[in-house]
Amino acid sequence: NLSAVSGFVFVGLSDAPEICLLLFVLFLLIYLATMASNITLLTAISTDSHLHSPMYFFLGNLSLLDLLCPTITVPKMLGALLLEHKEISFSGCLFQHFSLIAVVGTEILLLAVMAYDRYVAVCHPLRYPSIMSTKLCAQLALGTWATGFLNSLLHTSLVFTLSFCGPNKIQQYYCDMPPVLALSCSSTHSRELVILVVAGVLGSSACVVTVVSYLYILLEILARKSPGIWHKAFSTCGSHLAVVCLFYGTTICTYVRPSFTYSPHWDRVVSMLYGMLTPLLNPIIYSLRNKEVKCALKRVISQV
Protein backbone atom coordinates (compact mmCIF):
# COMPACT_ATOMS: atom_id res chain seq x y z
CA ASN A 1 0.00 0.00 0.00
CA LEU A 2 2.98 2.32 -0.48
CA SER A 3 2.43 5.30 -2.78
CA ALA A 4 4.85 7.89 -4.07
CA VAL A 5 4.85 11.27 -2.34
CA SER A 6 3.78 14.06 -4.72
CA GLY A 7 4.53 16.93 -2.34
CA PHE A 8 5.76 17.90 1.08
CA VAL A 9 4.42 19.90 4.01
CA PHE A 10 6.57 22.25 6.07
CA VAL A 11 6.23 22.07 9.83
CA GLY A 12 5.62 25.67 10.91
CA LEU A 13 7.85 27.56 13.29
CA SER A 14 4.83 28.06 15.52
CA ASP A 15 1.15 27.09 15.47
CA ALA A 16 -0.01 30.00 17.66
CA PRO A 17 -1.58 32.71 15.43
CA GLU A 18 -0.25 35.61 17.51
CA ILE A 19 3.29 34.19 17.41
CA CYS A 20 3.01 33.53 13.67
CA LEU A 21 2.11 37.17 13.02
CA LEU A 22 5.00 38.38 15.18
CA LEU A 23 7.45 36.04 13.40
CA PHE A 24 6.09 37.14 10.03
CA VAL A 25 6.75 40.82 10.79
CA LEU A 26 10.21 40.06 12.24
CA PHE A 27 11.38 37.89 9.34
CA LEU A 28 9.88 40.25 6.76
CA LEU A 29 11.84 43.16 8.25
CA ILE A 30 15.05 41.10 8.31
CA TYR A 31 14.47 40.02 4.70
CA LEU A 32 13.81 43.56 3.50
CA ALA A 33 16.87 44.85 5.37
CA THR A 34 18.97 42.09 3.78
CA MET A 35 17.71 42.95 0.30
CA ALA A 36 18.25 46.69 0.81
CA SER A 37 21.78 46.37 2.26
CA ASN A 38 23.05 43.95 -0.39
CA ILE A 39 21.45 45.80 -3.31
CA THR A 40 22.96 49.06 -2.02
CA LEU A 41 26.38 47.44 -1.72
CA LEU A 42 26.11 45.96 -5.23
CA THR A 43 25.09 49.36 -6.59
CA ALA A 44 28.03 51.05 -4.87
CA ILE A 45 30.51 48.48 -6.22
CA SER A 46 29.20 48.69 -9.79
CA THR A 47 28.93 52.49 -9.98
CA ASP A 48 31.93 53.71 -7.97
CA SER A 49 35.22 53.61 -9.91
CA HIS A 50 37.20 53.45 -6.63
CA LEU A 51 35.72 49.99 -6.00
CA HIS A 52 36.60 48.50 -9.39
CA SER A 53 39.27 46.17 -8.03
CA PRO A 54 39.52 42.38 -7.49
CA MET A 55 38.60 42.59 -3.80
CA TYR A 56 35.34 44.42 -4.50
CA PHE A 57 34.60 42.30 -7.57
CA PHE A 58 34.55 39.23 -5.33
CA LEU A 59 32.62 41.16 -2.68
CA GLY A 60 29.99 41.92 -5.33
CA ASN A 61 29.69 38.19 -6.04
CA LEU A 62 29.28 37.58 -2.30
CA SER A 63 26.50 40.18 -2.11
CA LEU A 64 24.74 38.52 -5.05
CA LEU A 65 24.87 35.18 -3.24
CA ASP A 66 23.56 36.88 -0.09
CA LEU A 67 20.63 38.15 -2.14
CA LEU A 68 19.85 34.72 -3.54
CA CYS A 69 20.17 32.69 -0.31
CA PRO A 70 17.24 34.22 1.64
CA THR A 71 15.19 34.73 -1.54
CA ILE A 72 15.19 30.96 -2.10
CA THR A 73 13.69 30.17 1.32
CA VAL A 74 12.20 33.21 3.07
CA PRO A 75 9.21 34.05 0.78
CA LYS A 76 7.85 30.52 1.15
CA MET A 77 8.35 30.70 4.91
CA LEU A 78 6.53 34.06 5.09
CA GLY A 79 3.65 32.57 3.12
CA ALA A 80 3.46 29.65 5.55
CA LEU A 81 3.40 32.02 8.54
CA LEU A 82 0.78 34.41 7.18
CA LEU A 83 -1.41 32.29 4.88
CA GLU A 84 -0.75 28.89 6.46
CA HIS A 85 0.11 27.62 2.96
CA LYS A 86 2.74 25.10 4.03
CA GLU A 87 2.60 22.71 1.07
CA ILE A 88 5.25 22.50 -1.64
CA SER A 89 5.28 20.24 -4.69
CA PHE A 90 7.94 17.58 -5.20
CA SER A 91 9.45 19.53 -8.12
CA GLY A 92 9.30 22.78 -6.14
CA CYS A 93 11.10 21.15 -3.23
CA LEU A 94 13.72 19.76 -5.63
CA PHE A 95 14.32 23.19 -7.17
CA GLN A 96 14.55 24.88 -3.76
CA HIS A 97 17.01 22.25 -2.52
CA PHE A 98 19.16 22.52 -5.66
CA SER A 99 19.25 26.32 -5.55
CA LEU A 100 20.13 26.51 -1.86
CA ILE A 101 22.93 23.92 -2.01
CA ALA A 102 24.33 25.65 -5.11
CA VAL A 103 24.42 29.03 -3.36
CA VAL A 104 25.93 27.64 -0.15
CA GLY A 105 28.59 25.65 -2.05
CA THR A 106 29.49 28.63 -4.22
CA GLU A 107 29.82 30.89 -1.18
CA ILE A 108 32.20 28.46 0.56
CA LEU A 109 34.48 28.43 -2.49
CA LEU A 110 34.17 32.18 -3.00
CA LEU A 111 35.33 32.86 0.56
CA ALA A 112 38.43 30.76 -0.16
CA VAL A 113 39.10 32.78 -3.32
CA MET A 114 38.70 35.99 -1.32
CA ALA A 115 41.21 34.69 1.24
CA TYR A 116 43.73 34.06 -1.57
CA ASP A 117 43.09 37.58 -2.85
CA ARG A 118 43.90 38.99 0.61
CA TYR A 119 47.08 36.86 0.75
CA VAL A 120 48.32 38.32 -2.54
CA ALA A 121 47.41 41.86 -1.41
CA VAL A 122 49.37 41.57 1.85
CA CYS A 123 52.30 39.32 0.85
CA HIS A 124 52.84 40.49 -2.74
CA PRO A 125 51.51 44.07 -2.88
CA LEU A 126 53.73 45.18 -5.79
CA ARG A 127 52.75 42.20 -7.94
CA TYR A 128 49.08 42.32 -6.91
CA PRO A 129 47.76 44.01 -10.10
CA SER A 130 49.59 41.55 -12.37
CA ILE A 131 48.70 38.42 -10.35
CA MET A 132 45.04 39.28 -9.74
CA SER A 133 44.36 40.25 -13.33
CA THR A 134 40.88 40.80 -14.70
CA LYS A 135 41.08 37.50 -16.59
CA LEU A 136 42.10 35.51 -13.50
CA CYS A 137 39.39 37.13 -11.37
CA ALA A 138 36.74 36.27 -13.96
CA GLN A 139 38.02 32.68 -14.18
CA LEU A 140 38.03 32.28 -10.39
CA ALA A 141 34.51 33.68 -10.05
CA LEU A 142 33.19 31.53 -12.90
CA GLY A 143 34.92 28.49 -11.45
CA THR A 144 33.33 28.95 -8.02
CA TRP A 145 29.85 29.34 -9.50
CA ALA A 146 30.26 26.36 -11.85
CA THR A 147 31.66 24.11 -9.10
CA GLY A 148 28.88 25.13 -6.72
CA PHE A 149 26.19 24.27 -9.26
CA LEU A 150 27.81 20.94 -10.24
CA ASN A 151 28.15 20.00 -6.57
CA SER A 152 24.48 20.86 -6.01
CA LEU A 153 23.46 18.83 -9.07
CA LEU A 154 25.20 15.77 -7.60
CA HIS A 155 23.69 16.26 -4.12
CA THR A 156 20.19 16.88 -5.46
CA SER A 157 20.27 13.87 -7.77
CA LEU A 158 21.40 11.64 -4.89
CA VAL A 159 18.65 12.90 -2.57
CA PHE A 160 15.66 13.18 -4.88
CA THR A 161 16.12 9.85 -6.68
CA LEU A 162 15.35 8.12 -3.37
CA SER A 163 11.89 6.69 -2.72
CA PHE A 164 9.48 8.84 -0.71
CA CYS A 165 6.41 6.83 0.19
CA GLY A 166 5.60 7.53 3.83
CA PRO A 167 5.41 10.72 5.92
CA ASN A 168 5.80 13.94 3.95
CA LYS A 169 6.17 16.51 6.76
CA ILE A 170 9.53 18.31 6.57
CA GLN A 171 10.79 19.38 9.99
CA GLN A 172 12.06 22.67 8.63
CA TYR A 173 10.76 25.80 6.91
CA TYR A 174 12.43 24.91 3.58
CA CYS A 175 13.63 21.81 1.69
CA ASP A 176 16.94 21.22 3.43
CA MET A 177 18.96 18.04 2.97
CA PRO A 178 18.83 16.43 6.47
CA PRO A 179 15.03 16.63 6.95
CA VAL A 180 14.35 15.48 3.38
CA LEU A 181 16.68 12.49 3.80
CA ALA A 182 14.89 11.63 7.04
CA LEU A 183 11.62 11.18 5.10
CA SER A 184 12.95 8.64 2.60
CA CYS A 185 11.73 5.06 2.85
CA SER A 186 14.89 3.86 1.04
CA SER A 187 18.25 3.13 2.59
CA THR A 188 20.22 6.38 2.62
CA HIS A 189 23.53 5.25 4.15
CA SER A 190 25.51 4.85 0.91
CA ARG A 191 24.22 8.12 -0.53
CA GLU A 192 24.88 9.96 2.72
CA LEU A 193 28.44 8.66 2.59
CA VAL A 194 28.92 9.97 -0.96
CA ILE A 195 27.39 13.34 0.00
CA LEU A 196 29.61 13.63 3.08
CA VAL A 197 32.74 12.67 1.10
CA VAL A 198 32.09 15.11 -1.76
CA ALA A 199 31.04 17.93 0.57
CA GLY A 200 33.98 17.13 2.85
CA VAL A 201 36.50 17.28 0.01
CA LEU A 202 35.17 20.57 -1.35
CA GLY A 203 34.65 22.11 2.08
CA SER A 204 38.01 21.00 3.47
CA SER A 205 39.81 22.16 0.31
CA ALA A 206 38.25 25.61 0.61
CA CYS A 207 39.01 25.66 4.33
CA VAL A 208 42.66 24.68 3.72
CA VAL A 209 43.08 27.47 1.16
CA THR A 210 41.59 29.96 3.61
CA VAL A 211 43.67 28.83 6.59
CA VAL A 212 46.94 28.61 4.60
CA SER A 213 46.35 32.07 3.12
CA TYR A 214 45.94 33.57 6.57
CA LEU A 215 48.94 31.67 7.93
CA TYR A 216 51.09 33.22 5.20
CA ILE A 217 49.59 36.62 6.00
CA LEU A 218 50.44 36.14 9.68
CA LEU A 219 54.01 35.07 8.87
CA GLU A 220 54.44 38.07 6.57
CA ILE A 221 53.25 40.43 9.31
CA LEU A 222 55.63 38.89 11.86
CA ALA A 223 58.55 39.08 9.41
CA ARG A 224 58.10 42.74 8.53
CA LYS A 225 57.95 44.14 12.08
CA SER A 226 57.06 47.57 10.74
CA PRO A 227 55.02 50.05 12.80
CA GLY A 228 51.30 49.97 12.14
CA ILE A 229 51.49 46.72 10.19
CA TRP A 230 49.02 44.94 12.48
CA HIS A 231 46.42 47.68 12.10
CA LYS A 232 46.87 47.78 8.32
CA ALA A 233 46.60 43.99 8.00
CA PHE A 234 43.53 43.86 10.22
CA SER A 235 41.82 46.61 8.21
CA THR A 236 42.62 44.65 5.04
CA CYS A 237 41.59 41.19 6.27
CA GLY A 238 39.40 41.73 9.34
CA SER A 239 36.08 41.95 7.50
CA HIS A 240 36.71 38.84 5.46
CA LEU A 241 37.92 36.89 8.49
CA ALA A 242 34.76 37.80 10.45
CA VAL A 243 32.53 36.71 7.54
CA VAL A 244 34.46 33.42 7.18
CA CYS A 245 34.07 32.56 10.86
CA LEU A 246 30.36 33.40 10.82
CA PHE A 247 29.62 31.42 7.66
CA TYR A 248 31.76 28.34 8.39
CA GLY A 249 30.51 28.07 11.96
CA THR A 250 26.82 27.97 11.04
CA THR A 251 27.28 25.83 7.90
CA ILE A 252 29.39 23.16 9.60
CA CYS A 253 26.89 22.86 12.45
CA THR A 254 24.11 22.22 9.94
CA TYR A 255 25.59 20.06 7.18
CA VAL A 256 28.83 18.35 8.24
CA ARG A 257 27.27 15.50 10.19
CA PRO A 258 25.25 12.31 9.55
CA SER A 259 21.44 12.38 9.54
CA PHE A 260 21.00 10.37 12.78
CA THR A 261 22.27 13.41 14.70
CA TYR A 262 19.57 15.57 13.12
CA SER A 263 17.64 17.68 15.64
CA PRO A 264 14.69 19.62 14.13
CA HIS A 265 14.49 22.37 16.75
CA TRP A 266 18.25 23.01 16.89
CA ASP A 267 18.58 22.95 13.09
CA ARG A 268 15.83 25.53 12.65
CA VAL A 269 17.75 27.94 14.88
CA VAL A 270 21.09 27.30 13.15
CA SER A 271 19.56 27.53 9.67
CA MET A 272 18.13 30.91 10.62
CA LEU A 273 21.68 32.09 11.30
CA TYR A 274 23.21 31.21 7.95
CA GLY A 275 19.99 31.56 5.95
CA MET A 276 18.89 35.00 7.18
CA LEU A 277 21.31 36.67 9.59
CA THR A 278 24.55 35.89 7.74
CA PRO A 279 23.37 37.54 4.47
CA LEU A 280 22.23 40.53 6.52
CA LEU A 281 25.46 40.85 8.53
CA ASN A 282 27.93 40.38 5.64
CA PRO A 283 27.40 43.80 4.00
CA ILE A 284 27.23 45.45 7.43
CA ILE A 285 30.56 43.92 8.45
CA TYR A 286 32.26 45.07 5.25
CA SER A 287 30.71 48.52 5.48
CA LEU A 288 31.79 49.09 9.08
CA ARG A 289 35.37 47.91 8.51
CA ASN A 290 36.13 49.53 5.14
CA LYS A 291 36.47 53.28 4.57
CA GLU A 292 36.21 52.99 0.77
CA VAL A 293 32.93 51.09 1.04
CA LYS A 294 31.62 53.65 3.56
CA CYS A 295 32.36 56.53 1.20
CA ALA A 296 30.84 54.71 -1.79
CA LEU A 297 27.68 53.87 0.20
CA LYS A 298 27.34 57.50 1.30
CA ARG A 299 27.54 58.63 -2.32
CA VAL A 300 24.92 56.07 -3.41
CA ILE A 301 22.55 57.00 -0.57
CA SER A 302 22.97 60.73 -1.23
CA GLN A 303 22.17 60.20 -4.92
CA VAL A 304 19.06 58.23 -4.03
Side-chain angles (χ1 to χ4, degrees), residues 113-186:
V113 170
M114 294 174 74
Y116 174 73
D117 172 71
R118 294 299 82 208
Y119 154 73
V120 177
V122 174
C123 298
H124 305 283
L126 299 179
R127 297 173 55 202
Y128 181 75
S130 60
I131 295 175
M132 299 303 295
S133 62
T134 303
K135 182 180 179 181
L136 179 62
C137 291
Q139 289 174 341
L140 289 172
L142 182 61
T144 58
W145 283 87
T147 305
F149 275 83
L150 289 174
N151 173 62
S152 180
L153 182 62
L154 173 63
H155 282 57
T156 305
S157 62
L158 288 173
V159 172
F160 283 86
T161 52
L162 292 166
S163 298
F164 296 92
C165 48
N168 66 339
K169 290 186 177 181
I170 297 178
Q171 298 289 329
Q172 186 57 281
Y173 66 91
Y174 61 93
C175 290
D176 201 8
M177 191 186 305
V180 172
L181 279 173
L183 296 179
S184 175
C185 52
S186 305

Side-chain angles (χ1 to χ4, degrees), residues 35-45 296-297 300-301:
M35 295 295 103
S37 59
N38 282 286
I39 289 173
T40 305
L41 185 56
L42 273 172
T43 304
I45 292 172
L297 289 175
V300 170
I301 293 172

Side-chain angles (χ1 to χ4, degrees), residues 34 37-38 66 239 243 246 273 276-288:
T34 302
S37 59
N38 282 286
D66 287 338
S239 301
V243 169
L246 181 64
L273 293 177
M276 295 187 68
L277 292 184
T278 301
L280 173 64
L281 292 176
N282 284 351
I284 296 174
I285 291 171
Y286 273 98
S287 301
L288 292 176

Side-chain angles (χ1 to χ4, degrees), residues 67-120:
L67 280 173
L68 293 174
C69 186
T71 302
I72 293 167
T73 60
V74 174
K76 185 68 178 178
M77 179 190 67
L78 294 177
L81 287 171
L82 187 64
L83 305 174
E84 296 186 359
H85 182 68
K86 302 178 181 180
E87 296 81 13
I88 187 170
S89 65
F90 187 88
S91 58
C93 188
L94 185 152
F95 178 75
Q96 192 182 65
H97 178 276
F98 172 81
S99 303
L100 184 64
I101 298 299
V103 167
V104 172
T106 303
E107 188 159 344
I108 290 175
L109 297 173
L110 183 64
L111 290 174
V113 170
M114 294 174 74
Y116 174 73
D117 172 71
R118 294 299 82 208
Y119 154 73
V120 177

Side-chain angles (χ1 to χ4, degrees), residues 24-36:
F24 173 82
V25 173
L26 175 63
F27 294 144
L28 178 62
L29 291 175
I30 293 175
Y31 179 65
L32 293 176
T34 302
M35 295 295 103

